Amino acid sequence: MKKGLAFVFSFFTFFYFSLNAFCEEASQNNVQPLEFEDSLLQNENISEKSKKIKFPDVELLSKNINYSLKGAISLYNENDWIPRSLIYDLNFNFDMHELEANLGIRHFEDEENLTASIRYSPTFFGAFSAGLEGRFHFLLVQDSFTEIDWLSMVFLRFETGKHFKISGRGGIMMKSAKIFNIESSVPWLRNYNPVFDLNIQWDFNKFISIFFEFDSFTQYKYNLFLAPSIVTGVCLNPSKRLSIGSEIEFCYIDLFTLSGYLSSIYHRAFIKYRF
């Protein structure tokens, strides 16, 4: 019995001093326990896998807020290029790049126009934007008729750096019209039409840019689908807050048919101030 107890005591004494020596050697050589090494290997594997999984770079809303006021004078010509009258419009714009809202009014002879729009389009990978836009337009022609237009559209935009931008919209427009002479028998006339527009802008530098548009509607003109406009112009930026420019708009009727013709031309000069 005494020999057995002596053997057990000797065994545990040997085991204790051996383990103590191992731990001291491990601490001197920075050797970590196996379980800790396994956890480190697992964490490294997880981190490597997470590096391979890339999530889209999405900008939901820019922190930069821009306000601008834009005033313009347009010269209206028919297809004979003879000036007929002047048009005045004023626009207020709120822009956060992904979120944009616009409100504008225009006076043209016996016509009064009001337009309001709002768009939200997140930016992906710093270059591509996609979202939705809603637009409202009211037209009153004194002693003649009134129109109300509602537009629902998909918005797409691609921009490379700060020089080239291309954007497009497409959707549906609901047009309601009331003709005063027949409103007792026909209160409202309604029609649904597809709408689209394409905008291209090239900024040569900070001071000058050119743009081109091909639209089935403009900010104050909401004709039927077969009456698009072609717009081209130039914009100068003397400072970060001030821009001045000029554009010309060609309005067509039945452009996509054999009977298409140029109906009117607008020369427009504008000035824009950013707050």
Side-chain angles (χ1 to χ4, degrees):
M1 182 68 178
K2 293 181 179 180
K3 293 182 179 180
L5 292 174
F7 175 79
V8 173
F9 178 78
S10 301
F11 175 79
F12 278 103
T13 303
F14 174 77
F15 179 78
Y16 170 78
F17 284 106
S18 299
L19 181 62
N20 188 35
F22 173 79
C23 292
E24 289 179 357
E25 184 179 358
S27 62
Q28 292 177 1
N29 297 330
N30 294 324
V31 177
Q32 304 295 333
L34 291 177
E35 293 182 358
F36 187 69
E37 290 183 354
D38 292 340
S39 63
L40 283 178
L41 292 174
Q42 292 177 359
N43 291 334
E44 289 179 358
N45 293 333
I46 293 174
S47 62
E48 289 179 358
K49 291 180 180 179
S50 62
K51 290 179 181 179
K52 296 179 181 179
I53 302 174
K54 296 182 178 180
F55 296 94
D57 182 12
V58 181
E59 182 73 27
L60 296 178
L61 194 62
S62 174
K63 296 181 181 180
N64 297 324
I65 303 176
N66 297 304
Y67 302 93
S68 63
L69 190 64
K70 184 177 181 180
I73 299 177
S74 302
L75 183 63
Y76 168 69
N77 309 270
E78 294 186 356
N79 55 6
D80 54 8
W81 294 81
I82 298 176
R84 293 295 194 276
S85 58
L86 291 175
I87 306 171
Y88 307 94
D89 67 87
L90 184 66
N91 300 275
F92 175 78
N93 185 262
F94 169 86
D95 188 5
M96 295 181 68
H97 195 262
E98 285 76 27
L99 178 64
E100 182 178 7
N102 185 278
L103 178 65
I105 55 174
R106 186 181 82 160
H107 172 73
F108 174 35
E109 294 182 343
D110 57 349
E111 294 183 12
E112 305 296 338
N113 285 265
L114 171 68
T115 297
S117 65
I118 185 169
R119 169 187 57 80
Y120 177 67
S121 54
T123 303
F124 300 89
F125 307 107
F128 178 73
S129 301
L132 300 174
E133 178 175 336
R135 182 176 289 257
F136 168 80
H137 171 247
F138 174 79
L139 167 66
L140 172 63
V141 180
Q142 297 178 13
D143 302 324
S144 183
F145 68 93
T146 183
E147 285 186 359
I148 297 176
D149 301 300
W150 294 94
L151 286 77
S152 300
M153 298 172 289
V154 174
F155 175 85
L156 301 173
R157 175 175 58 198
F158 178 76
E159 46 193 335
T160 58
K162 298 181 179 180
H163 298 287
F164 179 76
K165 299 178 183 178
I166 181 170
S167 63
R169 289 172 289 187
I172 193 74
M173 175 180 69
M174 184 187 76
K175 179 181 288 291
S176 301
K178 177 189 288 187
I179 302 174
F180 298 148
N181 291 335
I182 62 172
E183 64 176 328
S184 58
S185 58
V186 184
W188 288 96
L189 299 171
R190 286 186 172 84
N191 193 1
Y192 293 87
N193 276 272
V195 291
F196 73 92
D197 82 331
L198 176 66
N199 300 273
I200 300 174
Q201 179 177 326
W202 181 270
D203 299 329
F204 290 100
N205 48 49
K206 295 181 180 180
F207 305 102
I208 184 170
S209 61
I210 60 173
F211 55 90
F212 171 83
E213 301 176 8
F214 182 57
D215 315 305
S216 67
F217 68 95
T218 58
Q219 189 167 10
Y220 299 104
K221 185 177 73 69
Y222 297 83
N223 292 340
L224 300 181
F225 184 72
L226 296 178
S229 298
I230 298 176
V231 183
T232 184
V234 61
C235 182
L236 304 177
N237 304 298
S239 67
K240 292 183 178 179
R241 294 184 177 272
L242 186 65
S243 297
I244 56 176
S246 177
E247 65 184 34
I248 182 169
E249 177 182 352
F250 300 93
C251 303
Y252 290 87
I253 300 294
D254 296 332
L255 178 63
F256 304 110
T257 66
L258 296 177
S259 59
Y261 66 95
L262 178 65
S263 63
S264 57
I265 304 169
Y266 294 87
H267 296 87
R268 187 167 181 253
F270 60 86
I271 182 170
K272 181 178 180 179
Y273 183 80
R274 302 173 186 84
F275 298 94

